[in-house]
Amino acid sequence: MRKVPALIATAGLVLATLTACSAGPDNADCTAPVSSGDASKLVEVTGKFGSAPTVDFPTPLKTDTTQRSEIIEGTGPGLSEGQKVQVDLSVFNATTGDAIEQSSYDGTTMASFVLNDQTLTGLTDGLLCAQVGSRVAVVASAADTFGPAGGNEDIGVAADDSLVFVLDVVKAYLTRADGADQLPVAGLPAVVLAEDGTPGITVPSAEPPTELKVGVLKKGDGETVTDGSTVTVHYTGVVWDTKEVFDSSWAAGSPAAFVAADGSTTEGGVIPGFANALIGQTVGSQIVAVLPPDQAYGDQATDTIPAGSTLVFVVDILGVD
């Protein structure tokens, strides 16, 4: 059986470097950290949103900063810090004009990443406040893209090069559960939320239940999690007996994605009780789940979880793929 994964896996030359070394709010008052500039205005892009663009710009195109120009206006919510997004992208070396990588634009190779300090600064800054459904052209220096040293030999980018990103913002996930508050279920751990949504969990002194127990703290109205769904969540896990946190995506700074299925039988799956607690729940919901040992790790011990432990999870369901 597998532990709930802490990070999202990505693939591809550029995608592998994206994490270097609420649907979100509508952001009507959002102030983007970057704006249009001389370099981004020189990027000409034609084609429909969701289809491979034709991109033209003079070479060499240089910038010492990150600039963004909107090509197609979106109508969805604006992107905020800490939000997971899916984008179709086309990436070019702005010095040579050479294509570095391009999505297939058929829904199978979208890049998924979180807009935080674990993602390249230029890419995060270039997307903050952009709306879902928009196509933007971002021109970023190598230093903003790959760090102060600049450059990436693996994809043919020198330290003094710039990059052009054409980004279609296809999807944004919730940053936290936004469902309607529900009455607490007697006998389950109490949950108090910090301002950023991180849960504090108080485990009762009583003996733990011997069967899986699930309480809905917030009821969302989004898509339903089904058996085998790929689910994006924020979660905190606590050992009932020790009252100690053993894992938390909030502490890690990024939501986690996994398959809502038993990890003993399904690749990418998780411990049975975690999957069973989520199946049938809806995006936007927050739940508290108590997993007896036979729904968790049984007699298997880890560095932080004793054998035979009952586990408590508080989970925000942020999106389903």
Side-chain angles (χ1 to χ4, degrees), residues 7-291:
L7 294 175
I8 303 162
T10 59
L13 283 173
V14 174
L15 307 193
T17 70
L18 290 177
T19 54
C21 319
S22 91
D26 61 14
N27 285 5
D29 298 324
C30 185
T31 301
V34 301
S35 59
S36 182
D38 292 340
S40 65
K41 290 176 182 177
L42 290 173
V43 181
E44 296 183 1
V45 185
T46 57
K48 296 180 178 180
F49 180 91
S51 64
T54 299
V55 182
D56 186 48
F57 52 88
T59 56
L61 184 62
K62 297 287 186 178
T63 180
D64 294 327
T65 59
T66 297
Q67 303 173 14
R68 179 181 82 201
S69 292
E70 187 174 64
I71 307 300
I72 297 174
E73 183 178 0
T75 58
L79 304 181
S80 58
E81 188 172 359
Q83 192 161 26
K84 181 182 172 182
V85 298
Q86 283 189 337
V87 301
D88 277 321
L89 51 72
S90 295
V91 188
F92 304 86
N93 185 315
T95 301
T96 65
D98 293 339
I100 296 173
E101 189 163 359
Q102 186 173 59
S103 298
S104 62
Y105 292 87
D106 61 3
T108 64
T109 60
M110 288 186 292
S112 293
F113 50 89
V114 179
L115 301 178
N116 61 14
D117 59 7
Q118 297 176 37
T119 297
L120 304 178
T121 301
L123 196 59
T124 293
D125 288 351
L127 283 172
L128 285 173
C129 299
Q131 291 178 279
V132 174
S134 66
R135 168 175 283 179
V136 297
V138 175
V139 183
S141 66
D144 273 3
T145 307
F146 300 113
N152 187 307
E153 292 182 359
D154 291 340
I155 59 175
V157 178
D160 61 348
D161 286 340
S162 298
L163 292 96
V164 172
F165 295 87
V166 177
L167 305 162
D168 286 7
V169 185
V170 177
K171 182 176 180 178
Y173 297 71
L174 299 175
T175 57
R176 59 190 291 180
D178 64 353
D181 291 336
Q182 306 294 297
L183 293 174
V185 177
L188 293 183
V191 178
V192 178
L193 302 181
E195 187 175 347
D196 66 354
T198 303
I201 304 169
T202 301
V203 179
S205 299
E207 289 296 312
T210 57
E211 298 180 350
L212 175 67
K213 298 292 185 182
V214 180
V216 178
L217 304 176
K218 295 179 181 292
K219 179 65 175 176
D221 58 4
E223 188 175 351
T224 300
V225 179
T226 59
D227 191 357
S229 296
T230 297
V231 188
T232 295
V233 301
H234 260 314
Y235 67 90
T236 290
V238 172
V239 177
W240 182 287
D241 286 341
T242 66
K243 314 295 193 285
E244 296 293 329
V245 174
F246 64 86
D247 198 7
S248 174
S249 65
W250 274 286
S254 291
F258 62 92
V259 178
D262 186 342
S264 64
T265 59
T266 303
E267 184 175 357
V270 292
I271 51 177
F274 196 95
N276 293 333
L278 293 184
I279 292 170
Q281 306 293 345
T282 52
V283 172
S285 296
Q286 181 182 74
I287 64 168
V288 55
V290 180
L291 283 57

Side-chain angles (χ1 to χ4, degrees), residues 1-6 235 246-248 258 263 268-271 274 297 300 302-305 313:
M1 292 182 283
R2 303 186 180 193
K3 191 173 181 179
V4 180
Y235 67 90
F246 64 86
D247 198 7
S248 174
F258 62 92
V270 292
I271 51 177
F274 196 95
Y297 294 103
Q300 177 183 349
T302 72
D303 291 340
T304 53
I305 303 174
F313 284 97

